[in-house]
Amino acid sequence: MRIEQLGDGTPEVAVVAGIHGDEPCGPRAVERLVKENPDVERPVKLVIVNERALERGVRYINEDLNRVFPGDPDAENYERRLAHELLGELGDCTVLSLHSTQSYARPFALVDKVNAVARSICPYLPVSELVETDRFTKGKLISHPHTLEVECGLQGTDEAAENAYDLIRGFLAGTGALPLPEGENPVEAGKRDEVIVYRMDQPVLKNGGSEFEVLVDNFTPVEKGEEFATTDGEELVAEETFVPVLMSAYGYEDIFGYTAEHIGVLGN
């Protein structure tokens, strides 16, 4: 685990990248920020977590790190020890956790439950969607208090790395760590009109098979009776209207993604 710091003092703000070794956008953005070394108004901790997996270009070494929090310092499993070490570094920090996906090119945010952190920071971020994930946070860093997770874009792309950098800058502006000249994004200094909020409902199972296809777009409602995916050529039909989130053919082993419902907006 690599740890850098901007500014002097004890950080109350942290950026976490590289939880998954096959998602290099976050580490690339952190490296860029470290190189720039901007003057900050409060100290910031920058963490690149799973360096072993990043070096090998694999998601994890022994076990998915984002499924084993709070971890165990005495575990034989590398990621379980790493999870415990990371939480020790984060303490009471307000945290931005950077990820990427195979399902959606535009960045969006996720949170355990909509809270003061999400309400205050999301207007500074280049996102239009915020997803509540409280039913699916067991073992994940997002269950840590004051943590906001962002999907930066498509895994392995330059666009995702660029988005990750913009998301970090927005997060630091929203937490008062990075001053912004008047009128400069992110996002026009926290004046985004609204962010649409969804709540995850159910995983969408693949039900076996080996060839998969998703027929719908994430965050575009799927109507009851509409075909939304195929498993080995067999079409899957929506039993109820839902909003697809993190839906992709091969992003997960056993599920396509999740159903969600629209529950409101964050607005100024």
Side-chain angles (χ1 to χ4, degrees):
M1 184 163 59
R2 176 184 171 188
I3 301 169
E4 301 281 354
Q5 182 168 324
L6 303 176
D8 299 322
T10 301
E12 297 178 343
V13 176
V15 175
V16 173
I19 281 182
H20 294 134
D22 58 354
E23 298 177 5
C25 62
R28 287 177 59 184
V30 167
E31 294 278 5
R32 178 177 170 182
L33 193 68
V34 169
K35 185 176 181 179
E36 292 175 352
N37 192 28
D39 292 329
V40 292
E41 295 188 349
R42 56 191 302 204
V44 179
K45 181 174 288 191
L46 304 170
V47 186
I48 297 177
V49 188
N50 201 337
E51 292 184 286
R52 293 186 192 176
L54 282 163
E55 289 172 359
R56 301 182 191 182
V58 296
R59 188 171 181 83
Y60 53 83
I61 301 300
N62 300 131
E63 191 174 0
D64 190 329
L65 176 59
N66 211 29
R67 302 293 184 273
V68 299
F69 287 98
D72 180 352
D74 300 316
E76 294 184 8
N77 181 304
Y78 162 69
E79 271 87 8
R80 289 183 182 270
R81 298 195 307 273
L82 192 59
H84 175 82
E85 185 180 352
L86 176 60
L87 291 186
E89 289 292 337
L90 297 180
D92 295 326
C93 285
T94 298
V95 178
L96 180 73
S97 179
L98 299 160
H99 293 266
S100 56
T101 174
Q102 295 186 34
S103 62
Y104 198 59
R106 299 202 310 267
F108 64 96
L110 305 98
V111 69
D112 183 0
K113 291 283 287 186
V114 172
N115 53 27
V117 170
R119 292 183 184 280
S120 63
I121 295 174
C122 279
Y124 290 86
L125 303 181
V127 301
S128 297
E129 298 92 12
L130 173 65
V131 182
E132 280 193 345
T133 65
D134 58 303
R135 293 187 59 192
F136 304 99
T137 57
K138 184 178 180 180
K140 298 183 180 181
L141 180 60
I142 201 171
S143 62
H144 181 267
H146 316 302
T147 296
L148 188 68
E149 183 176 296
V150 286
E151 296 286 353
C152 301
L154 294 176
Q155 188 173 318
T157 63
D158 291 338
E159 290 80 4
E162 188 68 28
N163 291 340
Y165 175 81
D166 291 342
L167 287 157
I168 294 174
R169 291 293 299 250
F171 172 74
L172 297 182
T175 53
L178 191 67
L180 287 172
E182 186 176 353
E184 180 181 333
N185 277 331
V187 168
E188 294 186 0
K191 295 181 180 179
R192 175 179 292 283
D193 290 335
E194 64 179 30
V195 176
I196 302 172
V197 183
Y198 301 89
R199 178 181 292 128
M200 279 187 182
D201 185 24
Q202 297 289 340
V204 181
L205 301 177
K206 287 182 171 178
N207 297 321
S210 59
E211 297 292 330
F212 309 101
E213 183 180 6
V214 172
L215 307 175
V216 295
D217 296 322
N218 282 280
F219 297 110
T220 299
V222 175
E223 300 298 327
K224 180 178 180 179
E226 183 179 349
E227 299 162 358
F228 65 88
T230 66
T231 296
D232 290 343
E234 181 178 348
E235 295 173 338
L236 303 183
V237 176
E239 296 181 0
E240 301 290 342
T241 297
F242 70 90
V243 177
V245 173
L246 291 169
M247 289 274 285
S248 67
Y250 298 100
Y252 300 98
E253 182 177 354
D254 299 321
I255 66 174
F256 284 102
Y258 298 88
T259 67
E261 61 176 334
H262 172 248
I263 60 172
V265 297
L266 297 183
N268 290 335

